[in-house]
Amino acid sequence: MTAALDILITKAEQSKLKDLNLENLPFGKFFTDHMLEADYENGEWKNIEIKPYQPLLLSPSVAALHYGQAIFEGVKAYKDSNGDAYIFRPIDNFKRFNISAERMQMPAVPEELFMEGMRLLVELDKNWIPSKPDHSLYIRPFMFSSDELIGVRPSDTYKFMIILSPTGPYYSAPMRIYVEENYVRAVPGGVGYAKAAGNYGAAMYATAEAKKKGYDQVLWTDAFEHKYVQECGTMNVFFIIGNTAITPSLELGTILNGVTRQSTITMLQEMGFTVEERRLNIDDIIDAYKANTLYEVFGTGTAATISMIKELRYKDFVMEFDVDNWKTAPTIKKWLTDIREGNREDKYNWMQKV
Ligand code: COI
């Protein structure tokens, strides 16, 4: 970061915090006192402001509402036992944000705007960081096209914003998962690796169908054979088979390069596992289950952190797991929590002090 960020800060007259109990919060329902907003016009970012959280006034013709040029990130801030605030690996989210922007033909957001803007916003609202276990301040940077034009073309103008939500666990209990064979999330050459808003909207129908059958989420499979596993709901997915941890590889561009995925790979290696990032066929998963070598299956994500999967259904074959006796996923969850709360050495420098 070179020059100081040229930013106008207007503080809220009163904090809404006194009306909120920071215990047992649902995910993503409450928002803090302030937000960051910036506009992209004529090839540059301007009007950079932190101001009281408030609605946007938008024309009905705003391009993002019609053609979905919209991307986002999920980041989390925590407080240690001294009350100091830290953000978990924000630089990795920054890099991924601009990878998503490029894929969606949107302008890059400068590092200083993303990183320093986020830091200033979290600093201003740091009293909103919950200290209860499994709680955090969820940071949502996002960008959308803002041209008032319904012609189909990349917008000339964009809005970049950051909002903050004090939040509890995303999935509170171990999950039942349905292996999806009809609908697809991502194809090679598509936008699966980007955190594009439309990826999430496009997943809702299949997820609703799985919910009707009594499942919490789907395990996405490849678009051609419906055999190779991709992601689980909004999470990356890991399988512990024998002494090996396997997670789908990124090279086909169908998998989101999750920050919690990367952290989990590092923790698994620290625990002595061989980690394989590769294509994984559902038939191999079933064979391992039948041979009693499929020990654990879990999802990873910023919102979800580590979520254990207690049941996996493929066609009529049901795999059930005794999650209460697992060692690996709970250990990773604990180590990550301990690093985030300052109770375990941050040897990879993941925590950025606010
Ligand atoms: C995250 O883990 O931050 C996500 O993006 C999931 C979400 C859409 C809530």
Side-chain angles (χ1 to χ4, degrees):
M1 281 172 235
T2 45
L5 187 63
D6 183 9
I7 184 166
L8 176 67
I9 300 183
T10 311
K11 289 193 184 166
E13 279 176 14
Q14 282 196 338
S15 174
K16 300 173 291 183
L17 186 54
K18 59 184 182 331
D19 306 325
L20 188 69
N21 178 359
L22 287 182
E23 306 262 308
N24 300 322
L25 290 165
F27 178 84
K29 186 166 158 55
F30 300 105
F31 298 95
T32 66
D33 291 324
H34 300 93
M35 64 186 195
L36 179 142
E37 191 175 334
D39 293 311
Y40 182 83
E41 283 167 19
N42 301 322
E44 57 178 318
W45 287 97
K46 47 176 78 158
N47 309 332
I48 305 171
E49 273 190 79
I50 288 179
K51 58 187 182 184
Y53 185 93
Q54 59 194 268
L56 298 174
L57 188 61
L58 293 177
S59 161
S61 62
V62 151
L65 299 178
H66 300 269
Y67 307 122
Q69 247 192 321
I71 59 170
F72 70 97
E73 270 302 323
V75 195
K76 277 181 173 171
Y78 300 82
K79 239 195 278 194
D80 69 8
S81 49
N82 301 321
D84 291 328
Y86 290 84
I87 307 177
F88 185 72
R89 303 189 73 169
I91 192 75
D92 297 291
N93 294 90
F94 162 69
K95 289 178 188 155
R96 188 174 64 184
F97 191 77
N98 279 342
I99 289 171
S100 302
E102 183 184 31
R103 180 62 182 85
M104 296 303 290
Q105 192 58 36
M106 299 167 92
V109 169
E111 178 172 334
E112 190 167 41
L113 169 54
F114 191 100
M115 296 291 290
E116 182 63 2
M118 181 188 297
R119 196 194 66 75
L120 287 168
L121 183 64
V122 173
E123 185 172 49
L124 198 56
D125 281 343
K126 74 170 181 220
N127 289 344
W128 288 79
I129 304 177
S131 25
K132 207 179 165 217
D134 286 334
H135 287 54
S136 59
L137 186 69
Y138 186 80
I139 305 169
R140 171 53 62 89
F142 60 104
M143 170 164 53
F144 60 91
S145 57
S146 53
D147 276 9
E148 296 177 9
L149 179 98
I150 55 171
V152 183
R153 60 150 177 75
S155 195
D156 289 327
T157 60
Y158 294 84
K159 223 176 235 312
F160 171 67
M161 300 190 65
I162 307 179
I163 55 176
L164 307 174
S165 175
T167 223
Y170 193 74
Y171 299 115
S172 43
M175 298 195 298
R176 300 180 69 220
I177 301 295
Y178 184 83
V179 181
E180 181 55 60
E181 288 187 280
N182 286 315
Y183 308 108
V184 294
R185 177 188 174 276
V187 294
V191 297
Y193 69 89
K195 217 157 166 63
N199 282 342
Y200 295 78
M204 288 179 190
Y205 187 81
T207 310
E209 294 284 296
K211 284 192 174 159
K212 278 191 217 155
K213 296 184 187 112
Y215 290 85
D216 298 304
Q217 275 295 345
V218 298
L219 177 61
W220 298 104
T221 54
D222 73 283
F224 305 109
E225 297 171 68
H226 291 300
K227 281 287 184 189
Y228 293 95
V229 301
Q230 293 183 337
E231 290 187 19
C232 181
T234 63
M235 301 180 294
N236 295 115
V237 64
F238 285 78
F239 297 81
I240 307 287
I241 300 180
N243 290 328
T244 305
I246 307 168
T247 192
S249 45
L250 306 176
E251 81 270 358
L252 294 175
T254 52
I255 307 289
L256 193 79
N257 184 4
V259 177
T260 313
R261 176 187 182 277
Q262 290 301 342
S263 312
T264 298
I265 290 174
T266 305
M267 307 265 91
L268 284 164
Q269 285 164 338
E270 205 176 312
M271 291 164 86
F273 281 96
T274 304
V275 181
E276 291 178 2
E277 295 177 67
R278 64 165 167 90
R279 299 189 86 200
L280 178 60
N281 192 312
I282 188 73
D283 292 335
D284 296 336
I285 294 170
I286 290 173
D287 286 348
Y289 180 80
K290 287 182 176 160
N292 290 322
T293 56
L294 175 56
Y295 296 135
E296 299 188 25
V297 186
F298 55 91
T300 67
T302 298
T305 59
I306 307 289
S307 284
M308 293 182 254
I309 293 173
K310 67 174 181 189
E311 184 183 323
L312 196 56
R313 177 181 168 160
Y314 177 60
K315 299 186 193 285
D316 288 332
F317 190 73
V318 175
M319 293 172 257
E320 285 176 324
F321 303 96
D322 183 11
V323 297
D324 291 337
N325 287 317
W326 284 3
K327 297 270 177 307
T328 310
T331 303
I332 294 168
K333 186 167 181 178
K334 180 164 186 336
W335 285 6
L336 282 174
T337 306
D338 287 349
I339 292 171
R340 287 162 166 170
E341 291 170 359
N343 299 322
R344 187 179 169 87
E345 188 196 349
D346 177 23
K347 57 177 149 179
Y348 308 105
N349 290 319
W350 285 340
M351 304 307 292
Q352 189 205 277
K353 195 159 192 283
V354 169

